Amino acid sequence: MEMKRVLLKLSGEALAGEKKTGFDEATVKEVARQVKMSVDAGVQVGIVIGGGNFWRGRSSNAIDRTKADQIGMLATVMNCIYVSEIFRSAGMKTQVMTPFAVGAMTELFSKDKAMKCLEEGMVVFFAGGTGHPYFSTDTGVALRAIEMEADCILLAKAIDGVYDSDPKVNPNAKKYDTITIQEVIDKQLAVIDLTASMMCMENKMPMAVFSLNEKDGIANAMQGKINGTVVTA
Protein backbone atom coordinates (compact mmCIF):
# COMPACT_ATOMS: atom_id res chain seq x y z
CA MET A 1 0.00 0.00 0.00
CA GLU A 2 1.62 3.25 -1.14
CA MET A 3 1.30 6.18 1.27
CA LYS A 4 1.64 9.70 -0.08
CA ARG A 5 -0.82 11.39 2.29
CA VAL A 6 -2.06 9.83 5.52
CA LEU A 7 -4.26 10.72 8.47
CA LEU A 8 -2.90 9.38 11.76
CA LYS A 9 -5.30 8.92 14.67
CA LEU A 10 -3.81 8.84 18.16
CA SER A 11 -5.77 8.27 21.33
CA GLY A 12 -5.38 10.77 24.15
CA GLU A 13 -4.78 7.92 26.59
CA ALA A 14 -1.90 6.64 24.46
CA LEU A 15 -0.15 10.01 24.83
CA ALA A 16 -0.56 9.85 28.60
CA GLY A 17 1.53 6.67 28.80
CA GLU A 18 1.40 4.77 32.08
CA LYS A 19 -0.13 7.75 33.89
CA LYS A 20 -3.40 7.44 31.87
CA THR A 21 -3.96 11.19 32.26
CA GLY A 22 -2.21 14.34 31.05
CA PHE A 23 0.90 13.91 28.89
CA ASP A 24 3.91 11.63 28.92
CA GLU A 25 6.59 13.64 27.14
CA ALA A 26 8.80 10.64 26.33
CA THR A 27 5.86 8.91 24.58
CA VAL A 28 5.06 12.01 22.52
CA LYS A 29 8.75 12.51 21.60
CA GLU A 30 8.85 8.92 20.34
CA VAL A 31 5.77 9.56 18.16
CA ALA A 32 7.46 12.74 16.86
CA ARG A 33 10.66 10.84 16.01
CA GLN A 34 8.74 8.31 13.93
CA VAL A 35 6.55 10.87 12.16
CA LYS A 36 9.64 12.94 11.27
CA MET A 37 11.17 9.90 9.53
CA SER A 38 8.11 9.78 7.28
CA VAL A 39 7.85 13.54 6.72
CA ASP A 40 11.54 13.60 5.76
CA ALA A 41 10.77 10.79 3.27
CA GLY A 42 8.08 12.98 1.65
CA VAL A 43 4.89 11.59 3.23
CA GLN A 44 2.20 14.22 3.89
CA VAL A 45 0.85 13.77 7.43
CA GLY A 46 -2.37 14.94 9.08
CA ILE A 47 -3.08 14.03 12.71
CA VAL A 48 -6.24 13.72 14.81
CA ILE A 49 -5.93 13.16 18.56
CA GLY A 50 -8.65 12.00 20.94
CA GLY A 51 -9.29 13.72 24.28
CA GLY A 52 -9.47 10.72 26.61
CA ASN A 53 -6.45 11.73 28.69
CA PHE A 54 -8.53 14.68 29.93
CA TRP A 55 -12.19 13.84 29.38
CA ARG A 56 -14.18 10.66 28.73
CA GLY A 57 -17.55 12.02 27.61
CA ARG A 58 -20.46 12.72 29.91
CA SER A 59 -19.39 11.60 33.36
CA SER A 60 -22.73 12.24 35.06
CA ASN A 61 -26.33 13.19 34.33
CA ALA A 62 -25.60 16.58 35.88
CA ILE A 63 -23.91 17.56 32.60
CA ASP A 64 -25.73 18.07 29.31
CA ARG A 65 -24.44 15.85 26.48
CA THR A 66 -23.75 18.85 24.22
CA LYS A 67 -21.68 20.57 26.94
CA ALA A 68 -19.84 17.33 27.71
CA ASP A 69 -18.92 16.96 24.04
CA GLN A 70 -17.74 20.58 23.92
CA ILE A 71 -15.38 19.88 26.84
CA GLY A 72 -14.09 16.90 24.86
CA MET A 73 -13.49 19.08 21.79
CA LEU A 74 -11.41 21.49 23.88
CA ALA A 75 -9.45 18.55 25.32
CA THR A 76 -8.43 17.60 21.77
CA VAL A 77 -7.35 21.20 21.11
CA MET A 78 -5.08 21.13 24.16
CA ASN A 79 -3.65 17.80 23.02
CA CYS A 80 -2.94 19.06 19.51
CA ILE A 81 -1.26 22.27 20.71
CA TYR A 82 0.98 20.26 23.05
CA VAL A 83 1.91 17.56 20.53
CA SER A 84 2.43 20.19 17.82
CA GLU A 85 5.01 21.90 20.03
CA ILE A 86 6.85 18.64 20.70
CA PHE A 87 6.89 18.05 16.92
CA ARG A 88 8.33 21.53 16.36
CA SER A 89 11.09 20.90 18.90
CA ALA A 90 11.90 17.74 16.89
CA GLY A 91 12.42 19.89 13.77
CA MET A 92 9.06 19.72 11.99
CA LYS A 93 6.79 22.53 10.83
CA THR A 94 3.23 22.24 12.09
CA GLN A 95 -0.21 23.83 11.87
CA VAL A 96 -3.12 23.29 14.27
CA MET A 97 -6.54 23.73 12.67
CA THR A 98 -9.97 23.78 14.34
CA PRO A 99 -13.50 23.92 12.88
CA PHE A 100 -14.28 26.80 15.28
CA ALA A 101 -12.30 29.90 16.29
CA VAL A 102 -9.92 29.48 19.26
CA GLY A 103 -8.60 33.02 19.39
CA ALA A 104 -5.15 33.26 17.83
CA MET A 105 -4.15 29.81 19.11
CA THR A 106 -5.28 27.82 16.07
CA GLU A 107 -6.08 28.40 12.43
CA LEU A 108 -9.70 28.08 11.29
CA PHE A 109 -10.00 24.93 9.16
CA SER A 110 -10.38 25.18 5.42
CA LYS A 111 -9.58 22.44 2.94
CA ASP A 112 -7.55 24.76 0.72
CA LYS A 113 -5.36 26.00 3.59
CA ALA A 114 -4.88 22.48 4.97
CA MET A 115 -3.92 21.09 1.55
CA LYS A 116 -1.42 23.92 1.04
CA CYS A 117 0.18 23.22 4.45
CA LEU A 118 0.43 19.48 3.70
CA GLU A 119 1.94 20.13 0.29
CA GLU A 120 4.54 22.40 1.93
CA GLY A 121 5.60 19.52 4.17
CA MET A 122 3.90 20.73 7.35
CA VAL A 123 2.24 18.29 9.76
CA VAL A 124 -1.38 19.43 10.11
CA PHE A 125 -3.21 18.74 13.38
CA PHE A 126 -6.98 18.63 12.98
CA ALA A 127 -8.22 19.53 16.47
CA GLY A 128 -11.71 20.06 17.83
CA GLY A 129 -13.33 17.06 16.15
CA THR A 130 -16.05 18.02 13.68
CA GLY A 131 -16.97 21.02 15.82
CA HIS A 132 -20.37 19.49 16.62
CA PRO A 133 -21.66 17.42 19.55
CA TYR A 134 -22.68 13.77 19.07
CA PHE A 135 -19.72 13.14 16.75
CA SER A 136 -16.57 11.43 18.00
CA THR A 137 -12.95 11.98 16.99
CA ASP A 138 -13.40 8.76 14.95
CA THR A 139 -15.87 10.66 12.82
CA GLY A 140 -13.49 13.61 12.84
CA VAL A 141 -10.63 11.57 11.40
CA ALA A 142 -12.90 9.93 8.80
CA LEU A 143 -14.21 13.33 7.70
CA ARG A 144 -10.77 14.95 7.45
CA ALA A 145 -9.22 11.94 5.68
CA ILE A 146 -11.99 12.03 3.05
CA GLU A 147 -11.73 15.83 2.66
CA MET A 148 -7.93 15.70 2.42
CA GLU A 149 -8.12 12.84 -0.11
CA ALA A 150 -5.77 10.77 2.08
CA ASP A 151 -4.55 7.36 0.94
CA CYS A 152 -5.33 5.76 4.29
CA ILE A 153 -6.34 6.34 7.90
CA LEU A 154 -3.73 4.98 10.31
CA LEU A 155 -5.13 3.96 13.69
CA ALA A 156 -2.36 3.63 16.30
CA LYS A 157 -3.98 1.75 19.17
CA ALA A 158 -3.14 -0.04 22.41
CA ILE A 159 -4.03 -3.27 20.56
CA ASP A 160 -2.05 -4.61 17.57
CA GLY A 161 -4.90 -5.11 15.11
CA VAL A 162 -8.52 -6.15 14.64
CA TYR A 163 -9.64 -9.37 16.35
CA ASP A 164 -12.83 -11.41 16.03
CA SER A 165 -13.37 -11.00 19.79
CA ASP A 166 -11.67 -9.18 22.67
CA PRO A 167 -8.23 -10.80 23.12
CA LYS A 168 -8.13 -9.60 26.74
CA VAL A 169 -11.22 -11.72 27.44
CA ASN A 170 -10.76 -14.53 24.90
CA PRO A 171 -7.21 -15.99 24.69
CA ASN A 172 -8.24 -17.75 21.44
CA ALA A 173 -9.29 -14.52 19.71
CA LYS A 174 -8.26 -14.53 16.05
CA LYS A 175 -6.50 -11.52 14.53
CA TYR A 176 -7.38 -10.49 10.98
CA ASP A 177 -4.61 -9.57 8.53
CA THR A 178 -7.19 -7.95 6.26
CA ILE A 179 -10.93 -7.38 6.64
CA THR A 180 -13.49 -5.24 4.80
CA ILE A 181 -15.25 -2.29 6.40
CA GLN A 182 -18.54 -4.04 5.63
CA GLU A 183 -17.44 -7.03 7.73
CA VAL A 184 -16.32 -4.71 10.55
CA ILE A 185 -19.81 -3.16 10.56
CA ASP A 186 -21.65 -6.51 10.24
CA LYS A 187 -19.63 -8.15 13.03
CA GLN A 188 -19.73 -5.02 15.21
CA LEU A 189 -15.96 -5.16 15.72
CA ALA A 190 -15.81 -1.53 16.88
CA VAL A 191 -12.60 -0.56 15.08
CA ILE A 192 -14.03 2.95 14.86
CA ASP A 193 -17.58 3.98 15.66
CA LEU A 194 -20.47 3.23 13.33
CA THR A 195 -20.86 6.74 11.90
CA ALA A 196 -17.16 6.86 10.96
CA SER A 197 -17.27 3.29 9.57
CA MET A 198 -20.20 4.17 7.29
CA MET A 199 -18.43 7.30 6.04
CA CYS A 200 -15.28 5.30 5.23
CA MET A 201 -17.32 2.63 3.46
CA GLU A 202 -19.31 5.12 1.36
CA ASN A 203 -16.16 7.06 0.41
CA LYS A 204 -13.89 4.02 -0.04
CA MET A 205 -11.39 5.14 2.60
CA PRO A 206 -9.16 2.26 3.80
CA MET A 207 -7.77 2.02 7.33
CA ALA A 208 -4.84 0.29 8.98
CA VAL A 209 -4.88 -0.72 12.65
CA PHE A 210 -1.58 -1.36 14.44
CA SER A 211 0.04 -1.09 17.86
CA LEU A 212 1.36 2.25 19.05
CA ASN A 213 3.78 0.32 21.27
CA GLU A 214 5.43 -1.65 18.45
CA LYS A 215 8.95 -0.41 17.70
CA ASP A 216 8.75 1.99 14.73
CA GLY A 217 5.09 0.96 14.24
CA ILE A 218 4.02 4.44 13.08
CA ALA A 219 7.04 4.90 10.80
CA ASN A 220 6.50 1.46 9.25
CA ALA A 221 2.76 2.08 8.74
CA MET A 222 3.49 5.40 7.01
CA GLN A 223 5.79 3.53 4.62
CA GLY A 224 2.95 1.08 3.87
CA LYS A 225 4.32 -1.76 6.04
CA ILE A 226 1.35 -2.68 8.22
CA ASN A 227 2.12 -5.12 11.00
CA GLY A 228 -1.51 -5.22 12.11
CA THR A 229 -4.81 -5.28 10.22
CA VAL A 230 -5.66 -3.59 6.92
CA VAL A 231 -9.35 -2.64 6.72
CA THR A 232 -10.26 -2.41 3.04
CA ALA A 233 -13.04 -0.31 1.59
Side-chain angles (χ1 to χ4, degrees), residues 95-110 113:
Q95 179 69 65
V96 180
M97 292 192 154
T98 45
F100 45 81
V102 188
M105 288 180 260
T106 67
E107 181 87 26
L108 203 56
F109 170 78
S110 90
K113 276 190 210 160

Side-chain angles (χ1 to χ4, degrees), residues 20 25 31 56 79 86 105 109 121 129 137 163 185 191 218:
K20 306 290 185 209
E25 190 170 305
V31 171
R56 292 297 313 164
N79 280 346
I86 299 289
M105 288 180 260
F109 170 78
T137 48
Y163 287 77
I185 294 168
V191 177
I218 292 172

Side-chain angles (χ1 to χ4, degrees), residues 95 97 106-120 122 124 126 148:
Q95 179 69 65
M97 292 192 154
T106 67
E107 181 87 26
L108 203 56
F109 170 78
S110 90
K111 175 174 177 172
D112 291 346
K113 276 190 210 160
M115 287 291 231
K116 189 165 185 287
C117 289
L118 289 170
E119 283 160 6
E120 288 173 359
M122 297 173 82
V124 181
F126 298 104
M148 293 297 105

Side-chain angles (χ1 to χ4, degrees), residues 13 21 38 40 49 133-134 179 194 218 233:
E13 295 98 322
T21 184
S38 301
D40 289 348
I49 307 175
Y134 296 91
I179 190 170
L194 186 59
I218 292 172

Side-chain angles (χ1 to χ4, degrees), residues 49-101:
I49 307 175
N53 51 329
F54 287 117
W55 186 253
R56 292 297 313 164
R58 188 166 61 170
S59 53
S60 85
N61 290 328
I63 301 175
D64 176 71
R65 167 70 190 267
T66 296
K67 299 300 178 191
D69 285 359
Q70 287 170 347
I71 295 169
M73 288 176 216
L74 293 175
T76 73
V77 175
M78 291 194 293
N79 280 346
C80 285
I81 292 172
Y82 176 85
V83 177
S84 161
E85 282 306 297
I86 299 289
F87 274 38
R88 286 186 184 192
S89 73
M92 286 173 275
K93 291 180 177 163
T94 64
Q95 179 69 65
V96 180
M97 292 192 154
T98 45
F100 45 81

Side-chain angles (χ1 to χ4, degrees), residues 194-229:
L194 186 59
T195 307
S197 297
M198 294 299 288
M199 284 182 71
C200 288
M201 189 171 73
E202 285 172 7
N203 293 278
K204 299 191 166 29
M205 176 60 63
M207 294 178 280
V209 183
F210 60 95
S211 172
L212 179 66
N213 302 314
E214 180 202 334
K215 181 169 166 48
D216 290 338
I218 292 172
N220 288 335
M222 287 185 177
Q223 298 302 319
K225 300 174 204 140
I226 311 297
N227 187 21
T229 304

Side-chain angles (χ1 to χ4, degrees), residues 140-226:
V141 76
L143 176 64
R144 296 296 179 234
I146 293 159
E147 284 183 295
M148 293 297 105
E149 299 163 36
D151 297 311
C152 188
I153 295 171
L154 303 179
L155 301 167
K157 292 182 171 267
I159 191 169
D160 66 345
V162 180
Y163 287 77
D164 61 358
S165 57
D166 188 344
K168 288 180 192 158
V169 178
N170 177 14
N172 299 315
K174 176 177 161 283
K175 181 175 153 191
Y176 296 99
D177 291 327
T178 61
I179 190 170
T180 66
I181 293 177
Q182 184 67 63
E183 285 178 280
V184 165
I185 294 168
D186 292 345
K187 294 176 179 174
Q188 299 182 328
L189 297 176
V191 177
I192 52 175
D193 68 32
L194 186 59
T195 307
S197 297
M198 294 299 288
M199 284 182 71
C200 288
M201 189 171 73
E202 285 172 7
N203 293 278
K204 299 191 166 29
M205 176 60 63
M207 294 178 280
V209 183
F210 60 95
S211 172
L212 179 66
N213 302 314
E214 180 202 334
K215 181 169 166 48
D216 290 338
I218 292 172
N220 288 335
M222 287 185 177
Q223 298 302 319
K225 300 174 204 140
I226 311 297

